[in-house]
Amino acid sequence: MLVRNYRESDVPEMVRLWNQVIEDGEAFPQEECLTVEGGKSFFAAQTYSAVAEDDAGRVVGLYILHPNNVGRCGHIGNASYVVERGERGKHFGEALVKDCLIQAKAHGFSLMQFNAVVDANVHARHLYERLGFVVLGKIPNGFRMKDGHFEDIWLYYHEL
């Protein structure tokens, strides 16, 4: 397993993985899928974008790191993570989050804040808590799932 900075040649696979999450409609707020051209701009615009490779060198996950806000709150980072459906449970997510925390500090962030971790995403919630993220609170019915029902979302932070 290797987590590394993405290359432009990774973008088609990153877009495919990102769109899996969008199409599932259970974790990301976006409703529109990325195109490869749009993905090039999207991933390049982040503070840092990384991919996870399996032992065969295949891209099986990614994360994006960027400011959670601007100006006086610009020292707080935010991130989104994707692990390919068939590769979940193999610790790629853990490797991505750990690398992200290192990169966040290296890029000048002093805190990480996650604004909308869906209640049903229990594996992510357990991972964040195990890695030292602190629960700030819950927003009832803060996320509309693809099927139209609402789930609570959790807010987390982590000092770097």
Side-chain angles (χ1 to χ4, degrees):
M1 175 184 321
L2 171 69
V3 177
R4 61 167 174 78
N5 192 8
Y6 90 106
R7 298 184 284 259
E8 190 169 320
S9 61
D10 298 320
V11 169
E13 198 60 16
M14 294 168 75
V15 166
R16 184 185 70 77
L17 294 172
W18 187 268
N19 287 346
Q20 276 186 359
V21 178
I22 302 291
E23 290 164 359
D24 288 348
E26 299 173 351
F28 289 175
Q30 296 89 349
E31 294 180 301
E32 299 296 322
C33 288
L34 289 173
T35 63
V36 172
E37 280 306 308
K40 287 179 185 177
S41 300
F42 178 72
F43 294 117
Q46 307 303 315
T47 302
Y48 190 82
S49 295
V51 297
E53 292 182 349
D54 65 9
D55 292 338
R58 192 172 61 93
V59 173
V60 296
L62 67 100
Y63 73 83
I64 59 170
L65 170 66
H66 51 86
N68 190 57
N69 212 319
V70 297
R72 291 182 174 88
C73 294
H75 63 287
I76 302 172
N78 185 285
S80 298
Y81 307 93
V82 177
V83 175
E84 186 166 10
R85 287 183 196 113
E87 300 298 327
R88 295 176 187 159
K90 299 178 182 178
H91 303 285
F92 288 110
E94 181 175 356
L96 289 165
V97 175
K98 286 180 173 179
D99 188 77
C100 182
L101 293 173
I102 293 166
Q103 291 298 330
K105 189 169 187 172
H107 285 84
F109 297 110
S110 58
L111 297 164
M112 290 293 290
Q113 179 177 323
F114 296 161
N115 304 316
V117 182
V118 179
D119 188 60
N121 195 353
V122 293
H123 296 296
R125 292 180 44 226
H126 291 161
L127 172 61
Y128 300 150
E129 291 169 21
R130 189 165 42 80
L131 294 179
F133 283 79
V134 177
V135 175
L136 289 171
K138 175 176 74 170
I139 299 174
N141 297 317
F143 187 89
R144 181 177 40 81
M145 301 292 277
K146 185 177 183 176
D147 69 5
H149 85 275
F150 288 88
E151 289 273 339
D152 298 342
I153 54 175
W154 294 90
L155 285 75
Y156 285 86
Y157 84 95
H158 191 294
E159 291 186 44
L160 301 173

